[in-house]
Amino acid sequence: MLPLHYRELGAGRPLVILHGLFGTLDNWQTLARRWSEEFRVIVVDLRNHGRSPHSPEHSYALMSQDVLGLFDQLELPADTTLLGHSMGGKVAMRFALDYPERLARLIVLDIAPRLSDMRHQDDILAGLNAVDLTTIQNRQQADDALAVHIPQPGVRQFLLKNLYRREDNSFAWRQNLAALTAQMAAVGEAITDTQPFLKPALFIRGGKSDYINAEDKLYAIPALFPNSQVETIVDAGHWVHAEKPDEVFGLVEAFVRQ
């Protein structure tokens, strides 16, 4: 169990937010600030990401335990909502199934519980590992190295948020790139359980994304989360909260208020 770095805003009913792969709690700052006008919002860096500790181990069982440690540390009540996007959504599902008594409701953004082979991350891993941190002098050189493998400027910009200068002026990644590269198959693992999570669950999918498909909606999600609803934000892709923040804000606010 690792002690997770987090940031807290506002007061009221707790809403805990978990980012996705290669993300940090900073990705959620804008929406967190808006929700904090009504709720106690806790944005979290998961293990091997952001300012949380690094470990060679990276599994959903362990990340669920990390989140439990944070719940205990903050003495969060049973009326807490847990929200996760992508990898963070799978952590949230795992936590809800492991510790259902600790939550009132679950929110998952654009990820299903099924297995993913993670091949869609090959170019990103190649790009990140192509950045020679011992020789780059500035962020542009890092971007140039990434661009060989990752043509999309928006994806590179997102990844470069993890790059920072150490005190000796050298560059480093916030995420534990070696562990994430080695454990990428574990990030794609399915979330399964013999006992479903019976409390309310909201799944929000991007209409342009295939991370939640028709079969997931009909079978995989209801099997584990029988009291769930799936809402589609039509013109959004996988980064649904970044592309359509107002729609996500409204859906989450209404669901947590219930």
Side-chain angles (χ1 to χ4, degrees):
M1 191 182 286
L2 297 181
L4 299 178
H5 174 253
Y6 67 94
R7 198 171 295 151
E8 203 168 336
L9 307 90
R13 186 179 285 180
L15 169 63
V16 179
I17 301 176
L18 310 178
H19 61 78
L21 181 65
F22 303 124
T24 73
L25 60 77
D26 291 335
N27 305 147
W28 282 92
Q29 282 305 302
T30 305
L31 276 170
R33 271 196 294 274
R34 290 178 68 184
W35 283 319
S36 72
E37 292 176 16
E38 188 171 349
F39 309 121
R40 177 188 178 190
V41 182
I42 298 134
V43 277
V44 183
D45 281 335
L46 293 165
R47 67 165 55 205
N48 293 321
H49 289 76
R51 289 172 172 80
S52 280
H54 288 188
S55 165
E57 297 179 295
H58 195 83
S59 71
Y60 288 115
L62 289 171
M63 287 189 277
S64 174
Q65 289 173 21
D66 295 343
V67 173
L68 178 66
L70 184 67
F71 271 57
D72 288 344
Q73 178 189 342
L74 298 177
E75 299 180 348
L76 295 178
D79 194 24
T80 297
T81 302
L82 182 59
L83 179 157
H85 170 248
S86 201
M87 180 189 75
K90 279 192 165 179
V91 177
M93 286 187 256
R94 181 72 273 153
F95 183 90
L97 293 161
D98 289 343
Y99 313 107
E101 72 285 353
R102 302 301 296 265
L103 291 182
R105 60 196 74 73
L106 170 72
I107 303 172
V108 175
L109 264 67
D110 211 60
I111 196 77
R114 67 179 147 85
L115 177 78
S116 168
D117 65 19
M118 300 308 287
R119 272 183 291 204
H120 57 286
Q121 298 292 344
D122 286 354
D123 289 343
I124 286 175
L125 286 173
L128 289 168
N129 283 290
V131 178
D132 187 347
L133 296 172
T134 62
T135 61
I136 60 166
Q137 304 289 309
N138 52 53
R139 300 181 80 81
Q140 185 57 52
Q141 290 175 348
D143 187 52
D144 292 343
L146 285 175
V148 175
H149 300 274
I150 305 164
Q152 308 93 324
V155 176
R156 298 201 305 273
Q157 192 178 357
F158 165 73
L159 294 169
L160 286 168
K161 287 179 181 174
N162 288 291
L163 192 67
Y164 74 103
R165 278 195 190 271
R166 292 190 287 215
E167 285 180 12
D168 66 0
N169 225 27
S170 66
F171 280 101
W173 294 116
R174 291 239 179 255
Q175 78 262 25
N176 184 351
L177 183 57
L180 293 174
T181 302
Q183 299 291 335
M184 193 51 61
V187 177
E189 282 181 0
I191 302 297
T192 60
D193 212 291
T194 54
Q195 296 294 320
F197 178 74
L198 299 175
K199 294 174 183 176
L202 170 66
F203 285 72
I204 301 173
R205 64 181 289 272
K208 295 178 179 175
S209 168
D210 59 2
Y211 279 72
I212 294 178
N213 62 31
E215 202 168 299
D216 298 324
K217 199 172 166 181
L218 279 173
Y219 304 109
I221 291 170
L224 287 172
F225 306 98
N227 190 13
S228 63
Q229 61 195 89
V230 180
E231 297 285 349
T232 300
I233 297 178
V234 178
D235 290 326
H238 182 55
W239 296 97
V240 57
H241 53 295
E243 294 171 40
K244 296 288 180 179
D246 291 343
E247 288 87 336
V248 171
F249 174 82
L251 284 170
V252 169
E253 185 179 51
F255 185 70
V256 178
R257 269 187 192 156
Q258 284 176 11

